[in-house]
């Protein structure tokens, strides 16, 4: 049995279905991210796990116990909010120990636990400060320590890094992941940032319009998206309009040029229009390497992106990108040049429409 399980969970607000048919099993100690655009239902789902929202239908269990309609303060679930939600009139130590104080734990135990949490978040000796005396990153560390202080069964994080600048986000997400791994705590992490989800998670739940598009490891989500939405939302992706030439042999035609996919074209008919996707990094110059697919195209733009050079090319009606590592000794084509590109059959994914 999974440690945290959501079964056919649905949440409606009046006539609007915010979450539909949500099924998920999370193992003990696993970190699972809910990834999706604003309004897709990820925070609503998190709030149902926390007990701040009650499901319209379905059930939620933790360690075999049904908590679907249990009040938030009875769930043994810790939550970290985007806005920190620290008490401004309390010291850092008092903020960390607040949950234990409400639980009427002895003051000596509260003090000891606060010191342990301060050491865990690398802020020893700062227990007497107030939130206004801390940076944003430090405040979020305190919010995390407060959520962990009472040893919750499940840790919930609702876009905890979105209010911080880019460098602090990268640093703090590494710390959060390290702490989660050290404690072995089952964690649900809500984010709209694909880099956060891919770098931190054991599995990612991609959500759209209140339902799950795909669940998988970061590797699976990025390399083998199952729907057009997932492919477009996670990473940079080329989508091309193709025509099926031979479904059994997995042959397609793009702007009069034949390419081959290694993936099955289930149910496709000859002449049918389909959407195929290719990641920019899977495309190479023909002269450097030769793979099963070769296409003639015209260079339309070249963008220098630091370690990556992104080249925009056109073939007929389709415009797409190829990425190559920046090499100061590499002679790049010029805008307007006719070039050949090559890519493997495995790089060509045929996408189904999102539900």
């Amino acid at each position: 049995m999974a440690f945290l399980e959501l079964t056919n969970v649905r949440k409606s607000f009046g006539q609007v279905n915010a979450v539909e048919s949500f099924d998920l099993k999370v193992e003990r100690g696993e970190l699972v991210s809910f990834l999706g655009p604003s309004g897709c239902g990820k925070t609503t789902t998190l709030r149902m796990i926390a007990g701040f929202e009650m499901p319209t239908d379905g059930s939620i269990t933790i360690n075999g116990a049904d908590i679907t309609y249990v009040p938030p303060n009875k769930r043994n679930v810790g939550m970290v909010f985007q806005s920190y939600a620290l008490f401004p009139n309390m010291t850092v130590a008092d903020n960390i120990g607040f949950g234990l104080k409400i639980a009427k734990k002895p003051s000596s135990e509260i003090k000891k636990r606060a010191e342990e949490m301060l050491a865990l978040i690398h802020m020893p000796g700062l227990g007497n400060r107030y939130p206004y005396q801390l940076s944003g990153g430090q405040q979020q560390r305190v919010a995390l320590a407060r959520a962990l202080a009472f040893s919750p069964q499940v840790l919930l994080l609702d876009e905890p890094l979105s209010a911080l600048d880019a460098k602090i986000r990268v640093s703090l997400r590494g710390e959060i992941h390290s702490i989660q791994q050290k404690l072995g705590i089952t964690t649900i992490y809500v984010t709209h940032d694909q880099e956060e989800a891919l770098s931190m998670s054991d599995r990612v739940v991609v959500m759209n319009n209140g339902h799950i598009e795909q669940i998988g490891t970061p590797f699976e989500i990025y390399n083998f998206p199952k729907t057009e939405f997932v492919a477009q939302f996670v990473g940079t992706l080329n989508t091309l309009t193709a025509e099926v030439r031979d479904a059994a042999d997995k042959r397609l035609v793009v702007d009069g040029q034949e390419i081959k996919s290694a993936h099955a074209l289930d149910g496709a008919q000859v002449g049918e229009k389909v959407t195929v996707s290719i990641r920019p990094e899977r495309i190479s110059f023909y002269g450097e390497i030769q793979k099963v697919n070769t296409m003639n195209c015209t260079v339309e733009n070249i963008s220098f992106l630091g370690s990556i050079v992104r080249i925009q090319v056109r073939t007929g009606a389709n415009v797409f990108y190829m990425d190559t590592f920046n090499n100061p000794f590499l002679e790049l084509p010029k805008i307007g040049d006719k070039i050949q590109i090559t890519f493997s059959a495995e790089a060509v994914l045929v996408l189904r429409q999102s539900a």
Side-chain angles (χ1 to χ4, degrees):
M1 177 182 291
F3 187 72
L4 169 64
E5 188 166 353
L6 289 81
T7 305
N8 199 29
V9 169
R10 182 173 68 86
K11 179 62 179 179
S12 298
F13 295 99
Q15 299 300 312
V16 178
N17 289 329
V19 178
E20 301 181 68
S21 302
F22 194 99
D23 289 289
L24 177 66
K25 295 181 179 181
V26 181
E27 300 302 323
R28 187 188 294 271
E30 193 175 17
L31 192 158
V32 174
S33 288
F34 294 171
L35 175 65
S38 297
C40 72
K42 55 189 186 292
T43 292
T44 300
T45 305
L46 193 79
R47 288 174 63 83
M48 286 190 284
I49 299 171
F52 300 133
E53 299 286 353
M54 296 300 168
T56 305
D57 288 308
S59 65
I60 302 172
T61 62
I62 295 179
N63 200 21
D66 191 329
I67 62 160
T68 310
Y69 301 108
V70 173
N73 61 326
K74 303 289 186 182
R75 294 192 178 203
N76 196 20
V77 169
M79 188 156 180
V80 180
F81 300 91
Q82 176 182 338
S83 59
Y84 318 144
L86 299 178
F87 300 110
N89 60 328
M90 291 186 184
T91 66
V92 165
D94 288 341
N95 266 283
I96 292 173
F98 180 76
L100 297 174
K101 184 177 180 180
I102 293 298
K104 302 188 185 305
K105 298 294 183 181
S107 58
S108 59
E109 181 181 332
I110 296 172
K111 181 179 178 181
K112 181 182 178 183
R113 187 60 173 165
E115 290 173 352
E116 291 173 352
M117 289 295 100
L118 284 167
L120 183 68
I121 62 172
H122 308 296
M123 291 177 57
L126 299 184
N128 290 327
R129 291 193 183 182
Y130 287 86
Y132 75 90
Q133 296 174 306
L134 305 177
S135 68
Q138 288 175 322
Q139 290 184 60
Q140 197 57 291
R141 287 185 182 92
V142 174
L144 175 62
R146 181 179 60 186
L148 292 170
F150 60 92
S151 301
Q153 289 182 297
V154 176
L155 176 65
L156 307 176
L157 300 106
D158 188 10
E159 304 206 39
L161 307 181
S162 60
L164 304 174
D165 65 56
K167 283 191 175 181
I168 295 296
R169 281 204 307 270
V170 172
S171 173
L172 195 50
R173 81 184 182 211
E175 289 185 36
I176 290 173
H177 188 232
S178 177
I179 290 170
Q180 186 269 336
Q181 292 285 297
K182 182 177 180 179
L183 298 179
I185 187 170
T186 307
T187 302
I188 304 294
Y189 190 102
V190 164
T191 183
H192 63 269
D193 187 318
Q194 57 176 287
E195 189 174 300
E196 278 183 19
L198 295 177
S199 65
M200 295 177 67
S201 310
D202 295 306
R203 285 188 299 154
V204 179
V205 178
V206 183
M207 297 181 65
N208 182 35
N209 292 329
H211 68 268
I212 295 173
E213 290 274 345
Q214 186 174 345
I215 302 174
T217 65
F219 181 88
E220 291 166 345
I221 293 293
Y222 185 86
N223 290 301
F224 303 106
K226 291 184 177 179
T227 71
E228 187 172 349
F229 174 84
V230 175
Q232 292 283 9
F233 191 78
V234 181
T236 302
L237 185 80
N238 296 306
T239 54
L240 314 176
T241 300
E243 184 178 298
V244 177
R245 173 161 287 178
D246 186 331
D249 200 31
K250 305 169 188 174
R251 289 187 290 131
L252 304 150
V253 177
V254 177
D255 292 317
Q257 302 186 66
E258 184 174 292
I259 64 172
K260 194 165 186 176
S261 174
H263 305 279
L265 306 179
D266 295 332
Q269 304 297 316
V270 174
E272 180 182 342
K273 300 288 186 182
V274 296
T275 299
V276 300
S277 74
I278 310 170
R279 296 285 184 194
E281 66 270 20
R282 303 294 297 273
I283 303 173
S284 305
F285 293 115
Y286 180 79
E288 295 177 344
I289 194 169
Q290 183 176 354
K291 298 180 181 178
V292 67
N293 291 314
T294 303
M295 294 186 72
N296 299 305
C297 51
T298 303
V299 177
E300 290 204 328
N301 194 25
I302 300 174
S303 301
F304 178 71
L305 304 176
S307 61
I308 296 293
V309 178
R310 179 160 292 166
I311 301 169
Q312 178 181 313
V313 299
R314 176 184 289 276
T315 172
N318 287 287
V319 175
F320 53 102
Y321 300 92
M322 61 177 292
D323 286 348
T324 183
F325 283 114
N326 177 28
N327 181 344
F329 306 104
L330 176 66
E331 184 176 347
L332 294 172
K334 297 178 177 59
I335 294 174
D337 282 358
K338 307 291 185 182
I339 64 170
Q340 282 190 316
I341 59 172
T342 186
F343 47 91
S344 68
E346 289 76 15
V348 181
L349 299 178
V350 181
L351 302 174
R352 62 178 173 81
Q353 294 296 314
S354 300

